[in-house]
Amino acid sequence: MKSHFQTFSRYNTWANRRLYEATATLSDEAKRLPRPAAYFGSLLGTLNHLLLVDQLWFDRVLGRPGRHTQLDGILYEDFAELRAAREQEDAAIEARVAAMTDEALAADLTYHTITGGQMRNPLHQVLSHIFNHQTHHRGQAHALLKDAGLMPPPLDLLYYLRDQG
């Protein structure tokens, strides 16, 4: 199980890097432009949501007090700062997953939702959710890039696996 999640943590880093490289080619105005398909208002809002939720979930995984009380917060208005924070978070995710054991992945994680409810799921299900959530919203961001007039790079897992040889 551990190697499966290590693959996903590395894929997550790869896909985010490609997404941010494409986003960097847009003007600040285009990144902030409200778009009908943007569930979080704009491309910048969507990218902030992804970082915020990763932080929220890994606070839970690590047993730390939650830093976030809403899902649509803007952590960084400045794209360069957001990108640096994303890169730092992706490196931390890879390191955290690499440090996990199969026993830890099978164990239950008890955590609180942002509304205060207590939940419990096996850690491997939580990680599956985290990586699936990333893929879901990266797909939305991908569509927003296309809406902005770009031809964004493929982000599919198989492209990552091929890229890694």
Side-chain angles (χ1 to χ4, degrees):
M1 214 175 348
K2 179 178 174 172
S3 67
H4 171 79
F5 289 110
Q6 284 182 286
T7 297
F8 271 92
S9 70
R10 290 187 296 262
Y11 161 65
N12 186 64
T13 297
W14 175 89
N16 284 335
R17 186 176 302 124
R18 290 172 66 100
L19 183 65
Y20 273 75
E21 285 171 359
T23 302
T25 66
L26 294 175
S27 69
D28 282 343
E29 180 183 356
K31 291 178 190 94
R32 298 173 194 287
L33 185 67
R35 297 186 186 275
Y39 190 77
F40 295 95
S42 67
L43 181 55
L44 188 69
T46 301
L47 296 177
N48 268 281
H49 169 75
L50 281 168
L51 178 61
L52 183 151
V53 171
D54 279 355
Q55 290 176 350
L56 182 146
W57 274 108
F58 278 99
D59 283 349
R60 293 170 179 167
V61 168
L62 298 170
R64 297 189 302 216
R67 293 175 269 179
H68 307 297
T69 58
Q70 60 185 32
L71 299 177
D72 60 350
I74 299 296
L75 301 176
Y76 298 95
E77 289 284 348
D78 180 76
F79 178 74
E81 291 175 4
L82 176 62
R83 187 177 193 177
R86 175 78 265 167
E87 289 170 1
Q88 184 177 32
E89 188 68 25
D90 287 342
I93 290 170
E94 284 193 47
R96 291 172 191 140
V97 171
M100 293 176 181
T101 63
D102 282 332
E103 293 78 19
L105 290 165
D108 282 347
L109 174 70
T110 301
Y111 58 93
H112 290 89
T113 65
I114 59 174
T115 58
Q118 184 172 317
M119 306 298 286
R120 184 172 63 204
N121 298 93
L123 180 56
H124 69 88
Q125 289 180 352
V126 169
L127 287 179
S128 294
H129 169 73
I130 292 168
F131 293 126
N132 187 62
H133 179 264
Q134 274 278 345
T135 299
H136 170 70
H137 287 297
R138 269 196 307 262
Q140 290 176 337
H142 198 264
L144 297 175
L145 288 171
K146 184 125 169 74
D147 186 57
L150 297 180
M151 180 51 73
L155 302 177
D156 297 83
L157 176 63
L158 287 178
Y159 284 93
Y160 164 73
L161 295 172
R162 292 173 190 152
D163 191 50
Q164 301 308 298

